[in-house]
Each structure stands twice: as C-alpha cells, then as structure tokens.
Amino acid sequence: MNRYLPVARQHFLAALASTSVVVKAISALVVLLYLLSWAVDTPYALGVTPGYLFPPNFWVWTLVTHGVVEQHVWGVAANVGTVMACGRLLEPLWGALELLIFFAVVNVSAGLLAGFSYLLTYVATFDLDFLFAVRVHGAAGFLGGVLVALKQTMGDTTVLRVPQVRLKAAPALVLLFLALLRLSGLLDSSAPLASYSYGALSGWVYLRFYQRHSRGRGDMSDHFAFASFFPEAVQPAVGLLAGLVHSALVKMKVCRKMVKRYDVGAPSSITISLPGTDPQDAERRRQLALKALNERLKRVEDQSAWPSMDDEEDDDDDEVRTDTQPLLPGGREPSSTPRTHPESSIISFEDAPSRS
C-alpha cells in the first residue's frame, strides 16, 4: 500500500496543477475549512441550519459556504475529487467563469430548497429537530449537479463494463445508493440525500432552461428531458407529468417554451438544430463516435486479415509448378512441341496429292 501512495500523490498533484484557478481555489478552501473544523464547529457556523436560515435569524451566508464544509477526511476527498472532475471534464467545454456560476447556482439552490423542505416537515410534524438539529453541508449537492451535467455532455460513456453502466444512469444510481444507506441506518441524517436530490434538480433546471452559450440558452434536446432520468418503463408517465408542470411554468413565465429551429438553407438535406446544443459538445461526441468506429473496424480487420504479397507470390509459384509437365520414364524430357487440343486426335490434316 505504501508503494502506491507516492504514485497516487504524484498523479493528484499533476492533475491539480493542470486545472484552473477556480478549481484550485475551491479545493484549497475545502481543505482549509476542514482543518479549521478541528477547532471550530464549522457545520454550525457555515452549514445550513433550517431554523437559522429563515427570518428572524436569516443566516443567508450559509447558502454560499455550506458546499465547502467537511468534517471527515473521506468527505474532503469526495469534495475535492468532484471539483477536480468537473474541472477536467466540464471546464474545457464551459470555461472557468461558467464553472464558477454553475457551482454557485447548484449550491445556493440545494441549500435553499433543503432548508425549505425541512421547514415544511416541521410544519407537518412540529418536531424542532428538523429546524435546529439538521446540518446541510458537504459536496452532496454539487455532486448531483455535476452528474447531471456529465449526463448532458457525455452520457453515452461506459462507466462499468460488467454490468454495463453508462454515465447517463449515474444520477439515478447514486440517488438510489444514498437512499439505501439512509434506510439501512448507515447515514445518521437525511441531509446528504436531500442535498443531493435538490442539487441534481437545480443543476438540471439551470442547464435545461437558463445556461447561456453560443447558440442561445438552455438545452431542450430529448435526451436531456426530465423523464430520461427515470427507467424506461415509467418514462411515459413521468414525461406526461413533467409536460404538464412545464406548461404551467411557461404560462407563469418561469420557463420558456421549447422551440426547434430548422435550417432549410443548409447545403445538405434539411437539418434540425435544437437550441442549447453547444458546438464543442457536438464535436466532442463526433470524436467519441469516430474513435469507437475506428476501434470496431480495427477489430474486424484483425479477425479477417488479408493475405500478404508474399503469400500471393507463393501461390503463383505453385501454379507455375503445376503447369510444367513431369519427366517421361527413362529421364527423357517431353518434346517442346505445343500440346494439341483434343480435337487434333479426331481431325487430321494431310497434304493434297500432286497432279501429274
């Protein structure tokens, strides 16, 4: 084990050095607040406590700080790893500023929605623990948003081969995993589950309707619809319900109506472009598809290899040897006269008699 620690540290430092200032600053802040938690109760001061978030206390700064507060080493590793993965996979497509905006939107929304849900739970149960004993903090909310963004940009990437799991199924699988941990009692609080759920939801809403890019706002493609996060058996029902909610939000002018653009003047056949599809994203997918096609063609060529030129020359030599006639008995070679066709044994030609 000690053998691999220097190698892992070297790879980690190399990956961190290649990231932007935003990723380095967030990672350093996570580590700094973790060290500070040894002396100060940082989840209480910087985490979201539902009873203190809303008036009369109104601790609004916790909406910004709760995403970088960790109490355990594995939490620090998960938080820094999530931020670095986002910097390696999403920042080249978005840019550092858009990454920072996404980080802020997801964390603020997850903290606000989680605090509001616990407030509603208190109203229904009158249990003060839901207001003052719950601490919402950590990387769960941002992890949900990052997995949703990865589903949008590279959802067809295979994460596990046996069983085959694609990246587009990761948000639902992680949600199921956290729910099982909570039901089994391994999670002592429902705050990570709530934070992850609201982080994934807020990330999807932002990417679906509000993210600005070179071709407009949002991503209204079918593969990124809300129903695509659910199993195929329930997707029609979820799609119908999501369509009703979206229509109501459009009438309230909270969301915009889905619009498809048709490029009739294209040099090729009619092309359909959906607003929200980034050209860099499309180019990335084309490169992945081309790589997969080249690998498949290479496997086919390896299975059915063509004969080489040496094999063809050997075949020609064999044909020449079969054309030559064998020696006659006694060592005599056959005459050099051309071989007659079968017809020559039936029809003979003689000289005409001379006239006297």
Side-chain angles (χ1 to χ4, degrees):
M1 183 67 182
N2 296 330
R3 239 180 358 180
Y4 299 104
L5 288 178
V7 179
R9 184 178 62 180
Q10 183 180 1
H11 284 288
F12 172 77
L13 294 177
L16 185 62
S18 62
T19 56
S20 66
V21 179
V22 174
V23 175
K24 294 176 183 177
I26 296 175
S27 302
L29 187 59
V30 171
V31 176
L32 179 62
L33 291 179
Y34 168 69
L35 297 177
L36 186 63
S37 66
W38 294 355
V40 182
D41 189 4
T42 52
Y44 172 77
L46 301 177
V48 173
T49 304
Y52 297 140
L53 178 62
F54 301 102
N57 298 295
F58 215 60
W59 288 10
V60 292
W61 67 85
T62 58
L63 295 176
V64 181
T65 59
H66 75 93
V68 292
V69 175
E70 297 290 350
Q71 276 188 310
H72 305 286
V73 177
W74 55 85
V76 174
N79 204 326
V80 174
T82 302
V83 175
M84 289 184 60
C86 189
R88 293 291 298 273
L89 300 175
L90 297 178
E91 188 179 13
L93 300 176
W94 294 351
L97 179 60
E98 180 61 30
L99 176 60
L100 183 60
I101 294 174
F102 182 74
F103 178 81
V105 168
V106 170
N107 281 299
V108 171
S109 302
L112 182 62
L113 292 175
F116 186 71
S117 65
Y118 280 113
L119 179 62
L120 294 180
T121 307
Y122 163 74
V123 172
T125 61
F126 293 101
D127 188 355
L128 288 176
D129 289 340
F130 290 107
L131 288 183
F132 300 104
V134 175
R135 302 285 187 270
V136 179
H137 64 90
F142 188 57
L143 175 63
V146 169
L147 290 180
V148 169
L150 291 178
K151 169 185 164 55
Q152 178 197 27
T153 56
M154 47 193 308
D156 293 332
T157 304
T158 302
V159 180
L160 295 176
R161 296 189 179 274
V162 181
Q164 188 175 17
V165 177
R166 297 187 182 276
L167 193 56
K168 60 183 178 182
L173 292 178
V174 174
L175 178 63
L176 179 62
F177 177 70
L178 292 177
L180 292 177
L181 289 180
R182 177 56 182 164
L183 292 175
S184 62
L186 297 178
L187 280 179
D188 56 354
S189 174
S190 60
L193 179 60
S195 179
Y196 175 84
S197 303
Y198 289 122
L201 179 61
S202 59
W204 176 80
V205 171
Y206 174 74
L207 296 175
R208 180 75 169 175
F209 300 105
Y210 299 107
Q211 186 187 40
R212 294 184 178 274
H213 43 76
S214 59
R215 302 187 66 180
R217 292 175 58 184
D219 183 2
M220 305 302 294
S221 57
D222 294 334
H223 80 278
F224 196 54
F226 185 75
S228 64
F229 290 87
F230 294 84
E232 294 183 359
V234 298
Q235 283 186 6
V238 175
L240 179 61
L241 180 61
L244 295 176
V245 174
H246 180 258
S247 300
L249 293 177
V250 169
K251 292 181 179 179
M252 297 170 58
K253 296 183 178 180
V254 177
C255 297
R256 62 188 181 88
K257 188 177 180 180
M258 184 177 66
V259 179
K260 292 184 178 181
R261 298 183 300 180
Y262 297 88
D263 187 8
V264 186
S268 59
S269 58
I270 298 177
T271 58
I272 302 175
S273 60
L274 296 174
T277 305
D278 196 349
Q280 296 179 352
D281 181 21
E283 180 64 24
R284 185 186 185 94
R285 294 181 182 177
R286 281 195 294 268
Q287 293 295 334
L288 291 175
L290 183 60
K291 181 179 179 182
L293 180 61
N294 290 333
E295 291 178 355
R296 186 174 300 177
L297 291 176
K298 185 177 180 181
R299 287 197 299 267
V300 172
E301 291 177 356
D302 292 340
Q303 292 177 359
S304 59
W306 290 93
S308 61
M309 297 298 294
D310 296 337
D311 297 337
E312 294 180 356
E313 292 178 358
D314 295 340
D315 295 340
D316 295 339
D317 295 340
D318 294 338
E319 292 179 358
V320 171
R321 294 192 189 98
T322 54
D323 290 341
T324 58
Q325 297 181 0
L327 294 175
L328 295 177
R332 293 181 294 106
E333 296 182 358
S335 58
S336 59
T337 57
R339 288 165 38 181
T340 60
H341 296 282
E343 291 83 359
S344 60
S345 60
I346 300 175
I347 304 173
S348 60
F349 296 92
E350 297 180 355
D351 296 334
S354 59
R355 293 182 180 180
S356 57

